[in-house]
Amino acid sequence: MFGVTILGNNSAIPAYDRHPTAQIVTLNEQLFLIDCGEGTQMQLSRYKIRRSRINHIFISHLHGDHYFGLPGLVTSMGLMGRENDLHLYAPAPLQQILQLQLDVADTKLPFKLHFHPLGNDATLVSNEKFSVECFRVYHRIDCWGFIIREKKKPRKIDREKAVACQVPSVYYERLKNGDDYESRTGEIVKNEWVTIPNIPGRSYAYCADTIFNPAIAEKVKHVSMLYHETTYLKTLHERAALRYHSTTHQAAQIALQAEARQLLIGHFSSKYEDLGEFLTETTDLFPQTQLALEGVTYLINQDKQ
Amino acid sequence: MFGVTILGNNSAIPAYDRHPTAQIVTLNEQLFLIDCGEGTQMQLSRYKIRRSRINHIFISHLHGDHYFGLPGLVTSMGLMGRENDLHLYAPAPLQQILQLQLDVADTKLPFKLHFHPLGNDATLVSNEKFSVECFRVYHRIDCWGFIIREKKKPRKIDREKAVACQVPSVYYERLKNGDDYESRTGEIVKNEWVTIPNIPGRSYAYCADTIFNPAIAEKVKHVSMLYHETTYLKTLHERAALRYHSTTHQAAQIALQAEARQLLIGHFSSKYEDLGEFLTETTDLFPQTQLALEGVTYLINQDKQ
């Protein structure tokens, strides 16, 4: 399972029972929390998502609607007796704020909190199952997006053909990684003759809060699902630029240029009660668009092969 | 109108849709916010209480469940264009935390935020209509309670009797304040002959988080309504003491000793889903007890005369 569950889809001021930004990305048994607006711990309870399964938290920037829920979540994890390490990837000043809050409360966390400050575009986590990268976006203060990628699985051996081509079985591991085989007599067995390509890895890119900037499309090229903010409808593009936010049409343009498979839009301004127009305007340009609605899990589909 | 509206009645970890501590005290046109747990701004919206009417905020101590909602509330007040001064009474270290959070967000508030650090037992605000005092309670870290008092109104003149006793009308203001009148010939007109006592001022005491300590009863003597925490039922008095909290019977004992007219109990541990036993145990000793339930406004009754 690879999907994203929305805990908060509103911009700065909570309104109409919409909450500030937070998302849970589930990749098989892994839960990643991206941003943690005020009330995130209550939203996790509401949607029955177990806090104990979150081992990685990513904070895009230090506007309160993206992190004011973090001290409460971390404190509650401690009160609930968490023992597993927790990894926090965030703008550097958050470390001091959080430490100060723990100190004044005389709180000693019963688990290890690893703080990883964000910097240049980089890979933050990488193992055999997934990787997470961060990349800069363009907001009023330092701000980062994140890409979570499922690792591409190795190719499968077509045993019948491999035997027919006389590839020794000790060489199968290298075939899985895409190597050709050269026999002792110098004959080449092309990898694609004896293997089947496996499913390519899927990917989810979260672009946080950002002004429209085509450079982002290059950073998230070909992702399976792109989350891009749409704080405003298209007519308010001047206000959007002034406040370093984006509109429906701008999010769609990024998705088109990135050749993303799906687009998820959110971070709706509190001035809008009804969200229907956001979907209408965005699908005009990019039909594979969905509104990020709270409590809903959006599955990240297999890419075309 | 003098009453208290509960926005959060739970202890540290939010549970069963109960929120961390926050209360709004309404005294005629004044709104006072006491403590501001995570989610307070959403609870204000839910119960249709206008943030703009809050001019005084009191924070009892720096455990997160009593203040993690404050940065969000203050930021939202700014985004909504508040212009009126806001007075914040809180433990001193909160100033640095809040300033740091505003700085990293590059936020300039459009209103003046006056920070008043708490210290010894003292009167924090006093005008002709009300006063607010703070007093130390006994918790794991520095912690304060607050008493909000309606000012006692002046006595009323009984004009018929005042004329009969030949008190000159220029002296009426002094009569209202309780003075006797002495005529030129040395005759004394006792104040109570010519005036009617007015309604005595009501009062609300909030005792925050505290271990059982009879000294508190002296500090809140004769209040109209006493809020005292009951984190645990009576059987868990050892756990309560260990964690610097109180039980049902302990809250009732404080109310009895203080000769309070009404008792409101809250800050229920997340281990209890049903709250009925809290009321049963407390009313056993102090019948005029009510459970602090979220969204409910408890009127502070007139004292007996």
Side-chain angles (χ1 to χ4, degrees), chain B residues 23-49:
Chain B
Q23 305 188 352
I24 286 283
V25 176
T26 305
L27 177 50
N28 301 323
E29 72 285 4
Q30 292 290 330
L31 293 194
F32 305 96
L33 174 62
I34 302 185
D35 281 341
C36 188
E38 182 176 353
T40 295
Q41 61 171 327
M42 289 82 147
Q43 293 289 83
L44 287 169
S45 300
R46 188 171 179 177
Y47 299 120
K48 304 200 188 326
I49 298 169

Side-chain angles (χ1 to χ4, degrees), chain A residues 12-14 18-20 37-42 45 51 62-64 67-73 75-76 79-80 93-94 96-97 100-102 104-107 140-141, chain B residues 12-14 18-20 37-42 45 51 62-64 67-73 75-76 79-80 93-94 96-97 100-102 104-107 140-141:
Chain A
I13 308 171
R18 299 196 308 249
H19 295 74
E38 182 176 353
T40 295
Q41 60 171 328
M42 287 83 146
S45 300
R51 291 167 249 221
L62 297 185
H63 281 153
Y67 86 95
F68 280 166
L70 187 72
L73 176 63
T75 306
S76 290
L79 290 169
M80 293 166 93
L94 184 56
Q96 186 193 353
I97 294 172
L100 208 53
Q101 289 176 318
L102 293 171
V104 298
D106 195 23
T107 294
R140 191 164 61 79
I141 58 173
Chain B
I13 307 169
R18 298 197 307 251
H19 295 74
E38 182 176 353
T40 295
Q41 61 171 327
M42 289 82 147
S45 300
R51 292 168 250 222
L62 297 184
H63 281 153
Y67 86 95
F68 280 168
L70 187 72
L73 176 62
T75 306
S76 290
L79 290 169
M80 292 167 93
L94 185 57
Q96 186 193 353
I97 294 171
L100 209 52
Q101 289 175 318
L102 293 171
V104 296
D106 195 21
T107 295
R140 192 163 62 77
I141 58 173

Side-chain angles (χ1 to χ4, degrees), chain B residues 70-143:
Chain B
L70 187 72
L73 176 62
V74 168
T75 306
S76 290
M77 283 173 163
L79 290 169
M80 292 167 93
R82 181 190 176 100
E83 292 180 349
N84 291 339
D85 287 14
L86 180 68
H87 292 269
L88 175 59
Y89 303 82
L94 185 57
Q95 188 169 22
Q96 186 193 353
I97 294 171
L98 205 55
Q99 193 55 54
L100 209 52
Q101 289 175 318
L102 293 171
D103 288 348
V104 296
D106 195 21
T107 295
K108 308 270 181 291
L109 294 176
F111 60 90
K112 191 151 186 194
L113 178 63
H114 301 270
F115 188 89
H116 307 272
L118 298 175
N120 294 329
D121 294 12
T123 298
L124 302 173
V125 195
S126 181
N127 60 32
E128 60 183 10
K129 293 184 176 165
F130 64 86
S131 68
V132 186
E133 302 151 33
C134 72
F135 58 97
R136 284 195 182 260
V137 295
Y138 308 91
H139 200 40
R140 192 163 62 77
I141 58 173
D142 283 344
C143 188

Side-chain angles (χ1 to χ4, degrees), chain B residues 46 53 56 64 66 68 79 108 122 133 144 161 164 186 204-205 224 233-234 242 248-250 270 282 299:
Chain B
R46 188 171 179 177
R53 288 184 55 206
H56 300 84
H66 292 253
F68 280 168
L79 290 169
K108 308 270 181 291
E133 302 151 33
W144 287 263
K161 289 183 182 165
Y204 175 68
S224 314
L233 292 174
K234 62 182 180 183
L242 202 67
T248 49
H249 271 196
Q250 293 172 339
S270 305
T282 314
L299 293 177

